[in-house]
Amino acid sequence: MTIYLPIAELSVNILIILGMGAAVGFLSGMFGVGGGFLITPLLIFYNIPPVVAVATGANQVVASSISGAITHFRRGTIDIKLGTVLLCGGLAGATVGVWLFSLLRRVGQLDLVISLLYVVLLGSVGSLMLWESVRAMRKAAKNHATPLRRPGQHNWVHRLPLKMRFKKSKIYLSVIPVAALGFCIGVLTSVMGVGGGFIMVPAMIYLLRIPTNVVVGTSLFQIIFVSAYTVIVQASTNYTVDIVLAFVLMIAGVVGAQYGVRVGQKLRGEQLRALLALLVLAVGIRLAIELVIPPKDIYSVVSAGFGF
């Protein structure tokens, strides 16, 4: 069963697209990430033009994040105040990111830059997360207590000015690193079509030392609005959001996210991080292989800004 994508200008198997959306939604709910770092490469692997995959992938991130965030909101595990500061930085970063996206597209280097960013980012983040999670599991197996990072412990980040008290997270922290983190995630959302949760969650836990119980929900809260803003701006400036593709991915992603949240509750924190790290590394390696293997068709025909 095939459907035609008007913006991507090709026909695809709807069952494969539904499967992609459901799988990414499931992982989004399980790990507390938007899922854009998975759906965008998957769409590219399925021959969707990268410019369409990035912009439309952000749309699927919105749906999966809303589905997961609703569950966390009901449990009271979202710090609205902290999420708002992240959101302010994220919207500014998304604006800059859309400008960079348009610039790279005009000079004809967008596809290469997107692939390189994914390889570097996924490879480094996945390696660090896997190393940390394996250490934690080894200590747990030997019955060694893993030192907890309590909110009261401080590093250089906590010595910055413009501090604000976040009662839900039980921390007293400068808004500078929080807004800066949101800004960086906003840029990545626009340029790469990712929600940024796979970077934001570890950064909030290990750098800002925010309690883990509110990190996932707060991350999803910020991702919703930044990704939605990115989709609107991309659609109005670059015309790269395929509404048919986005709609199919959204339906599947929402359903998958609900099941992912339930499964994630049954696994320990270090197990979740190890699985996410392996997933991140697998996608990064797959993209790296695509960059070094010669394409089947050396020459391509360009039409309306898209390469086929």
Side-chain angles (χ1 to χ4, degrees):
M1 181 179 177
T2 61
I3 56 172
Y4 181 73
L5 306 179
I7 302 300
E9 297 183 353
L10 51 83
S11 296
V12 296
N13 189 318
I14 189 173
L15 296 179
I16 293 179
I17 300 299
L18 284 171
M20 286 183 184
V24 172
F26 179 85
L27 296 170
S28 173
M30 181 186 294
F31 299 122
V33 298
F37 74 99
L38 289 173
I39 194 62
T40 302
L42 286 176
L43 291 174
I44 293 173
F45 296 156
Y46 196 53
N47 296 322
I48 303 295
V51 289
V52 177
V54 168
T56 309
N59 192 89
Q60 193 268 352
V61 169
V62 177
S64 297
S65 299
I66 289 176
S67 182
I70 289 174
T71 303
H72 285 281
F73 181 77
R74 290 172 179 169
R75 295 175 184 163
T77 53
I78 296 180
D79 190 326
I80 301 295
K81 189 175 182 180
L82 177 64
T84 302
V85 177
L86 285 168
L87 178 59
C88 292
L91 293 177
T95 303
V96 174
V98 170
W99 175 79
L100 287 173
F101 185 95
S102 301
L103 177 63
L104 291 170
R105 189 181 177 191
R106 284 197 300 270
V107 299
Q109 298 299 320
L110 182 62
D111 293 4
L112 177 61
V113 170
I114 289 174
S115 296
L116 287 174
L117 282 174
Y118 265 108
V119 170
V120 173
L121 202 57
L122 297 182
S124 57
V125 172
S127 299
L128 290 172
M129 288 182 63
L130 183 61
W131 178 72
E132 186 277 332
S133 57
V134 168
R135 283 186 60 197
M137 285 189 289
R138 284 180 176 177
K139 290 181 179 179
K142 296 178 181 178
N143 294 322
H144 290 172
T146 302
L148 298 176
R149 290 173 168 82
R150 296 190 299 270
Q153 295 176 320
H154 296 284
N155 56 24
W156 65 269
V157 171
H158 295 78
R159 293 192 291 270
L160 295 174
L162 301 177
K163 290 187 176 182
M164 182 180 294
R165 190 172 300 280
F166 301 98
K167 294 183 179 179
K168 188 71 177 180
S169 299
K170 298 179 182 179
I171 58 172
Y172 185 55
L173 181 67
S174 169
V175 298
I176 296 175
V178 179
L181 176 61
F183 180 88
C184 294
I185 298 302
V187 173
L188 293 177
T189 299
S190 299
V191 176
M192 301 174 64
V194 300
F198 69 104
I199 294 177
M200 184 182 298
V201 170
M204 291 172 71
I205 294 174
Y206 299 113
L207 180 61
L208 304 183
R209 294 181 178 172
I210 297 170
T212 307
N213 64 320
V214 298
V215 164
V216 173
T218 306
S219 171
L220 290 175
F221 170 81
Q222 188 263 3
I223 289 170
I224 291 171
F225 297 100
V226 174
S227 298
Y229 173 77
T230 298
V231 170
I232 294 172
V233 176
Q234 289 280 27
S236 59
T237 58
N238 295 313
Y239 312 106
T240 51
V241 178
D242 194 305
I243 190 64
V244 177
L245 177 60
F247 183 71
V248 175
L249 289 173
M250 283 176 63
I251 294 175
V254 168
V255 176
Q258 292 301 313
Y259 287 99
V261 171
R262 297 175 186 177
V263 174
Q265 295 171 359
K266 300 178 182 179
L267 297 174
R268 297 199 306 269
E270 60 271 16
Q271 292 176 328
L272 281 173
R273 294 195 297 274
L275 288 173
L276 180 58
L278 290 172
L279 194 62
V280 169
L281 282 174
V283 176
I285 292 171
R286 177 69 170 80
L287 278 170
I289 292 173
E290 288 285 323
L291 286 175
V292 298
I293 292 180
K296 294 180 181 178
D297 299 320
I298 300 177
Y299 302 100
S300 63
V301 178
V302 178
S303 175
F306 301 146
F308 297 88

